[in-house]
Amino acid sequence: MNNNLLIVGASTYAVVAFEIATDMKCFDNIDFIDDNKTITPNGISVIGKTSDLDKFAFDYNNIVVAIGNPDIRLSILQKIKEINTYKIVSLISPKAYISPSAQIMDGCIIEPMSVIHSCCVIGTGCIISAGAVINHACTCSDGVHIDCNATVDGYCSIPERSKIECGEIFKNFM
């Protein structure tokens, strides 16, 4: 098995994913596929389209979807699961704090300076942006995006495909 990473997407989120993957220092080669772009914003060539997923399965063992739209992100993740030849990985910045009791599901992107506290569950395909804080015992359902410097209060449950905007404070209202 190789230790190469294929990033689905070639926009800004994909560049963030690339930088985190590079910081993780665990992938031998990192490339991009995208249906609409031929080059990333940081100048890296795109090697194919999502229709080429089967073609790249031999050369890329690991895959992550770095697309902002949660419907598209989760749809592509489902397609990848059906192909069943890739390992869907989560990219976690070494500069993030993740509690040992937190659970991060497949396909997440956890950016630098984010905090995920004790007993949190981060669902499949979530994006936790730079500076976001998810307090203890929270659940982020699949496809959630907690944007830069947003705070999620303790014991909250974020519904699937939701986005907590930059600087927002999310609380459960009882």
Side-chain angles (χ1 to χ4, degrees):
M1 275 290 152
N2 64 58
N3 201 30
N4 297 329
L5 174 66
L6 190 60
I7 298 174
V8 180
S11 293
T12 307
Y13 284 121
V15 173
V16 171
F18 174 82
E19 291 173 353
I20 292 169
T22 301
D23 284 349
M24 291 171 67
K25 296 180 169 89
C26 63
F27 300 106
D28 298 329
N29 186 39
I30 304 169
D31 282 305
F32 300 85
I33 61 171
D34 191 285
D35 290 342
N36 302 308
K37 297 187 180 294
T38 58
I39 195 163
T40 66
N42 61 337
I44 299 173
S45 293
V46 172
I47 64 169
K49 299 184 177 295
T50 56
S51 59
D52 299 325
L53 280 169
D54 286 335
K55 177 175 119 179
F56 291 116
F58 181 76
D59 294 321
Y60 297 86
N61 186 46
N62 303 291
I63 195 165
V64 70
V65 179
I67 295 174
N69 182 306
D71 295 326
I72 295 171
R73 187 167 65 247
L74 291 177
S75 174
I76 293 172
L77 281 167
Q78 184 58 42
K79 181 179 178 182
I80 293 166
K81 287 178 185 177
E82 291 167 5
I83 293 171
N84 199 27
T85 54
Y86 290 96
K87 177 182 177 192
I88 299 171
V89 297
S90 286
L91 301 179
I92 301 173
S93 170
K95 298 172 187 153
Y97 172 75
I98 311 298
S99 167
S101 62
Q103 297 176 51
I104 311 293
M105 300 303 142
D106 293 336
C108 294
I109 299 172
I110 312 296
E111 296 181 18
M113 312 315 280
S114 58
V115 175
I116 300 174
H117 273 291
S118 302
C119 302
C120 289
V121 177
I122 309 301
T124 299
C126 290
I127 297 173
I128 311 300
S129 292
V133 175
I134 302 173
N135 210 348
H136 54 276
C138 289
T139 299
C140 292
S141 299
D142 295 349
V144 164
H145 182 177
I146 310 297
D147 215 344
C148 296
N149 295 318
T151 301
V152 178
D153 196 15
Y155 302 100
C156 287
S157 181
I158 310 296
E160 185 173 296
R161 303 168 198 253
S162 297
K163 183 175 183 182
I164 308 302
E165 298 291 342
C166 289
E168 185 178 345
I169 298 173
F170 183 91
K171 296 181 177 198
N172 280 337
F173 298 101
M174 296 180 192

